[in-house]
């Protein structure tokens, strides 16, 4: 079976690669870092949060973003599991500790 190529190791690319691999399908994740860095990135890790540590509202009853979070959790999302494990107080938002967050 030929591997599926995923371009970029940000949140979406990391999640896509993990979902593909968890189904037993070969996957190749292509990421520019650490060979090439950008001003926004501070680490060479995958799924690094660069602009904010907030995933916005986590209220699945009244907010579309919160509903998306719930759907991702039901689909066994690696990103949401890491977010939940590294959550910090932020009212109704899902905010995470930036240093502990990146899925491992």
């Amino acid at each position: 079976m030929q591997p599926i190529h995923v371009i970029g190791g940000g949140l979406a690319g990391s999640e896509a690669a993990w979902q593909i691999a968890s189904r037993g399908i070969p996957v190749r994740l292509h990421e520019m870092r650490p060979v090439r860095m950008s001003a926004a990135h501070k680490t060479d890790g995958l799924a690094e949060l660069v602009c904010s540590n907030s995933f916005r509202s986590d209220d699945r009853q009244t907010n579309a973003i919160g509903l998306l979070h719930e759907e991702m959790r039901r689909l066994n999302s690696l990103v949401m599991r890491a977010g939940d494990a590294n959550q910090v107080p932020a009212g109704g938002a899902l905010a995470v500790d930036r240093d502990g967050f990146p899925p491992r």
Side-chain angles (χ1 to χ4, degrees):
M1 182 183 299
Q2 292 293 318
I4 294 175
H5 293 260
V6 176
I7 310 301
L11 293 172
S14 294
E15 181 72 35
W18 185 84
Q19 290 286 345
I20 294 164
S22 70
R23 286 158 175 77
I25 301 167
V27 62
R28 297 278 319 260
L29 177 60
H30 302 272
E31 170 57 38
M32 69 179 183
R33 295 177 302 133
V35 174
R36 188 171 163 189
M37 297 292 285
S38 77
H41 294 95
K42 305 297 181 211
T43 75
D44 63 357
L46 299 173
E48 180 182 0
L49 295 172
V50 294
C51 297
S52 172
N53 72 329
S54 175
F55 285 91
R56 298 176 46 197
S57 176
D58 205 30
D59 180 358
R60 69 176 188 238
Q61 300 298 322
T62 62
N63 188 283
I65 299 294
L67 182 57
L68 175 61
H69 292 172
E70 180 61 24
E71 290 170 347
M72 290 175 69
R73 287 180 180 108
R74 290 181 186 193
L75 292 168
N76 198 26
S77 166
L78 177 67
V79 168
M80 292 308 299
R81 196 166 352 130
D84 290 339
N86 292 283
Q87 188 171 8
V88 296
L94 174 58
V96 300
D97 171 5
R98 284 186 131 139
D99 294 327
F101 168 74
R104 296 184 186 2

